[in-house]
């Protein structure tokens, strides 16, 4: 199902996320109820939620980190009153509107400052059974399994989803008759910044010769698309020529409209056969 969202609808979804009181894993479920028109492709809402939460974490991480001493004292004050509870950190994260895994990471870093390395703390977040404090370990474990936007489990899912759609892109390109080199081929020949597919023989799309295709297994909003334009897509265009970027989880309509002037075509699906004209080599 192809999804192109108006700016007004996108802002409505973002407002819902920003005013939601609770865990992101619950917000993910409630989003689908609040916006049933996306029932055919629920990953669209999940992708928008993930990007919004990641942006929020980037802007608030240092604020929460600066409160690490007080927050660790608050945790131990609460665990002293309810020693059997494994939800204290989770509830603190909800109150702070912060990632449960991110909060656990900050407090573990503070607790073991000077006696554990950054790698040790990372391993404790991945495997809370390594945490010497059993009650704290139980609380971290609860955070780990109730955070769908941060942590190593989320990183695995995000990476595998990206790889899945790259595989889909290659198969679709082959089925369309395109001849291409993938990212691995380009890296082996010495390129540093490489698109997912570099067409060995360009094709025509809307009358323009296309030289590359980039796959993004996420939703394309204006802020992140501008970042990709600055850090990746403009480099591909300057080096190879015009190209296509596919946001598989959909995108805001203004993103698609604004990019064509830059000879970078934004889509949320692979082009249909009738949209491509293959160039023959005699």
């Amino acid at each position: 199902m192809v999804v192109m969202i108006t700016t007004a609808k996108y802002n409505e979804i973002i407002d819902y996320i920003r005013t939601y009181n609770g865990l992101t894993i619950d917000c993910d479920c409630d989003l689908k109820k609040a916006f049933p028109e996306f029932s055919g492709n629920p990953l669209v809402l999940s992708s928008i939620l993930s990007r919004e939460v990641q942006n929020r974490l980037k802007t608030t991480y240092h604020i929460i980190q600066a409160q690490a001493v007080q927050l660790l004292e608050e945790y131990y004050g609460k665990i002293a009153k309810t020693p059997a509870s494994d939800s204290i950190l989770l509830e603190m994260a909800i109150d702070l509107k912060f990632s449960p895994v991110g909060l656990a990471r900050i407090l573990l870093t503070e607790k073991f400052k000077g006696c554990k390395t950054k790698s040790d703390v990372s391993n404790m977040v991945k495997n809370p059974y390594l945490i010497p404090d059993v009650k704290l370990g139980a609380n971290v474990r609860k955070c780990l399994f109730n955070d769908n936007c941060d942590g190593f489990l989320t990183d695995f899912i995000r990476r595998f989803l990206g790889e899945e759609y790259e595989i889909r892109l290659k198969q679709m390109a082959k089925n369309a008759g395109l001849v291409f080199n993938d990212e691995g081929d380009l890296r082996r020949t010495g390129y540093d910044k490489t698109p997912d597919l570099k067409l060995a023989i360009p094709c025509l799309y809307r009358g323009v010769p296309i030289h590359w295709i980039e796959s993004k297994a996420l939703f394309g909003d204006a802020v992140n698309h501008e970042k990709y334009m600055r850090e990746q897509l403009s480099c591909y265009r300057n080096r190879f020529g015009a190209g296509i970027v596919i946001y598989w989880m959909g995108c805001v309509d203004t993103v698609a409209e604004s990019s064509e002037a830059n000879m970078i075509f934004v889509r949320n699906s692979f082009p249909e056969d009738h949209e491509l004209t293959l160039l023959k080599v005699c």
Side-chain angles (χ1 to χ4, degrees), residues 178-179 199-204 209-211 277-279:
L178 300 180
V179 181
L199 303 188
I201 303 174
C203 67
L204 291 181
I210 295 299
H211 297 269
T277 301
L278 304 188
L279 302 181

Side-chain angles (χ1 to χ4, degrees), residues 18 30 53 58 123 130 150 156 191 199 210 221 234-235:
R18 289 178 178 174
D30 291 339
V53 171
K58 289 178 184 177
N123 288 332
L130 296 175
D150 192 13
F156 272 128
Y191 287 103
L199 303 188
I210 295 299
D221 62 82
S234 294
C235 299

Side-chain angles (χ1 to χ4, degrees), residues 33-240:
K33 298 174 185 176
F35 299 93
E37 61 267 39
F38 296 103
S39 59
N41 195 343
L43 285 179
V44 172
L45 294 173
S46 296
S47 183
I48 294 174
L49 172 64
S50 178
R51 300 299 293 184
E52 173 62 21
V53 171
Q54 289 299 313
N55 290 337
R56 182 196 301 169
L57 294 182
K58 289 178 184 177
T59 58
T60 59
Y61 186 86
H62 294 295
I63 297 173
I64 303 300
Q65 189 179 43
Q67 304 173 49
V69 174
Q70 298 94 314
L71 291 172
L72 189 60
E73 291 175 354
E74 179 182 342
Y75 163 77
Y76 276 111
K78 291 181 176 180
I79 200 71
K81 295 178 181 177
T82 54
S85 176
D86 63 354
S87 300
I88 293 174
L89 280 186
L90 203 60
E91 292 166 359
M92 289 173 63
I94 293 173
D95 291 340
L96 292 166
K97 282 202 166 187
F98 193 67
S99 154
V101 170
L103 180 61
R105 188 181 296 112
I106 287 172
L107 296 195
L108 285 172
T109 300
E110 179 61 31
K111 177 175 176 59
F112 295 105
K113 184 187 295 183
C115 59
K116 297 287 185 181
T117 65
K118 185 176 181 180
S119 178
D120 291 332
V121 171
S122 179
N123 288 332
M124 285 191 285
V125 173
K126 292 178 182 178
N127 184 1
Y129 289 102
L130 296 175
I131 300 172
D133 184 328
V134 176
K135 294 176 183 177
L136 180 57
N139 272 265
V140 172
R141 194 160 58 247
K142 192 74 171 281
C143 289
L144 186 63
F145 294 128
N146 285 277
D147 195 335
N148 64 336
C149 289
D150 192 13
F152 81 98
L153 292 175
T154 301
D155 291 340
F156 272 128
I157 294 170
R158 192 178 292 124
R159 187 173 76 247
F160 291 151
L161 191 63
E163 291 175 356
E164 176 188 342
Y165 276 92
E166 284 181 25
I167 292 170
R168 290 190 188 187
L169 173 61
K170 291 176 186 179
Q171 190 58 56
M172 290 176 178
K174 287 178 182 177
N175 293 343
L178 300 180
V179 181
F180 58 85
N181 293 311
D182 63 20
E183 194 173 10
D185 297 327
L186 295 171
R187 291 274 171 91
R188 283 189 291 272
T189 56
Y191 287 103
D192 48 356
K193 290 182 179 293
T194 58
D196 291 312
L197 299 186
K198 166 67 173 65
L199 303 188
I201 303 174
C203 67
L204 291 181
Y205 174 74
R206 299 185 185 178
V208 177
I210 295 299
H211 297 269
W212 53 270
I213 304 176
E214 178 74 3
S215 171
K216 298 292 184 188
L218 44 80
F219 183 84
D221 62 82
V223 173
N224 287 296
H225 177 67
E226 177 58 33
K227 178 184 177 183
Y228 289 133
M229 283 288 293
R230 185 173 62 254
E231 298 179 357
Q232 291 181 316
L233 305 179
S234 294
C235 299
Y236 303 158
R237 180 201 58 207
N238 295 340
R239 176 172 291 181
F240 303 118

Side-chain angles (χ1 to χ4, degrees), residues 243-255:
I244 294 173
V245 55
I246 303 175
Y247 288 106
W248 295 104
M249 304 308 163
C251 64
V252 179
D253 54 5
T254 52
V255 167

